[in-house]
Structures are given as C-alpha cells and as structure tokens.
Amino acid sequence: MHPLDTDRLQLRAWSDEDIGFVFDMYSRWEVQRFIGLVPRVMADRGEAEAVIARWRSLDDPVCGVWAVQRRADGHLLGTLLLKPIPASSDRTPLPPSGDIEIGWHFHPDVWGHGYATEAASRALKHAFDSGLPEVVAVTKEANTASQAVAGRIGMTHQGKTTRYYNATCELFVATRPAS
Ligand SMILES: CC(C)(COP(=O)(O)OP(=O)(O)OC[C@H]1O[C@@H](n2cnc3c(N)ncnc32)[C@H](O)[C@@H]1OP(=O)(O)O)[C@@H](O)C(=O)NCCC(=O)NCCS
C-alpha cells in the first residue's frame, strides 16, 4: 500500500493499534446507515480486528484501504478506499465489474472540516498518476454528504445505476485528466 500525504493529512496502512478507533467509528449508525445492501453497525471489537486484517492483506500498488490521520497530532479521522467494485450478479460472491471504486468513511466527530474531500482528492490523484483511466463512486440516493464529496473532488454525477452491488445507486465518475 502506497502511503499518501496532503497538507493536513496522512493516508497510511491500518495497524492493530487502530482497532479501538475502527470499532468506535463503524459501531455508529450515522456512519453505517448508507453503507452496504443491508446496513448494520459493527457489533464487537473482534469485527474491527478482522476488518483491519482484511484491509492489511490487500497488497496492491494502486488500490488500498487507507487509515486517514491528521498530520498535526496523529489523530485518526477515517477510512479512504480505492478498490475493485463488484458487479451486480446472481453469483455469490459478486464478481468484479472491472471498475475501480473510491469511497470514504469518516468519524462523525470530524465531519465538517473538509478532511474527506482532501483525502479523496489525494487518492484520486494517486489513482490517475498510477495509470487508471477512470474511477467510480456510488452512493445511496439519500447520502447527500457523500455526493457532495464526490462533487467537490470533481466527479461527474451520471444518474442512477444498477451496475454494481445488486443495488440502485447514484453513480459518480472521474476520468483521468489529459496530460
Ligand atoms: C460522507 C462523509 C465522509 C462526508 O463528510 P464531510 O465532513 O461532510 O465531508 P468533507 O470532509 O468533505 O467536509 C465538507 C464540509 O466541511 C466544510 N469545510 C470546512 N473546512 C473545509 C476545508 N478546508 N475544505 C473543504 N471543506 C471544508 C465544508 O464547508 C463542508 O461543510 P457542510 O457539510 O456544512 O457543507 C461523512 O458524512 C461520512 O463519513 N458519512 C458516513 C459514511 C458514508 O456514508 N460514506 C459514504 C458512503 S457512499
């Protein structure tokens, strides 16, 4: 996983020291309510430990699931994801669609500071610098906060799609700028 920096933020690999933060963030309904086909909050620290192990095992030079922390004091803020997005399908598990998805989950205590936008913008630049031609983001219709992040990082809203996750989502697309 490629560490990334911005003015205020560091995007780095997760570690077991982050289990408490991950559990605190993903056990909150306001974080989970728009995530997944059937949203549910994380039930115990074991789930946080397992998810960190899964994120750490993703060994890819472009994609990753980063821990986002504030440079000034090392305070953990949230998660930034760049990963293959599953297609809609009758098959289980859902097969890859061939597209790459960007996503963001931040702790409610730090919403409203532009951290998600700053982290996502850096990850998107990393994706394009690494040669990806296109990155997509999908949100639930009611998730206006997430749609605003996609808009702020320059993604184009393309309406609804049923292409991914066996769900109807709002689709946002960013295309690699001409160099
Ligand atoms: C989606 C989510 C990350 C958005 O968080 P956010 O804090 O609203 O987004 P940003 O970090 O871009 O911050 C933007 C806000 O900070 C303000 N802000 C303050 N300083 C700023 C700065 N330096 N730069 C940009 N914005 C700044 C903006 O005005 C905006 O405020 P507003 O919401 O009142 O319009 C957050 O709601 C979340 O984690 N939700 C739960 C998980 C989720 O649903 N994820 C998406 C799944 S598709």
Side-chain angles (χ1 to χ4, degrees), residues 87-173:
S88 292
S89 170
D90 293 338
R91 285 156 51 196
T92 309
L94 297 178
S97 63
D99 295 335
I100 300 294
E101 166 187 32
I102 188 168
W104 33 77
H105 310 144
F106 279 68
H107 195 291
D109 288 354
V110 298
W111 292 355
H113 296 274
Y115 292 139
T117 294
E118 188 167 321
S121 182
R122 181 66 190 90
L124 194 59
K125 180 179 184 315
H126 161 70
F128 292 143
D129 289 349
S130 306
L132 292 184
E134 187 178 276
V135 174
V136 305
V138 292
T139 80
K140 301 253 171 93
E141 184 179 10
N143 197 352
T144 52
S146 186
Q147 290 157 17
V149 175
R152 280 191 290 267
I153 65 170
M155 302 186 85
T156 304
H157 185 211
Q158 297 199 342
K160 293 192 194 309
T161 182
T162 54
R163 207 177 298 159
Y164 310 112
Y165 288 119
N166 286 344
T168 302
C169 301
E170 301 298 327
L171 172 65
F172 293 81
V173 178

Side-chain angles (χ1 to χ4, degrees), residues 14-28 32 40-57 65 76 79:
W14 290 98
S15 91
D16 281 347
E17 290 176 12
D18 306 324
I19 291 171
F21 173 82
V22 167
F23 178 52
D24 179 18
M25 184 167 77
Y26 288 103
S27 61
R28 292 166 185 256
Q32 294 285 57
R40 55 174 285 276
V41 296
M42 205 174 253
D44 56 53
R45 283 175 61 91
E47 271 192 67
E49 194 173 352
V51 91
I52 285 178
R54 180 151 51 82
W55 291 339
R56 288 178 62 83
S57 72
V65 182
L76 267 169
T79 307

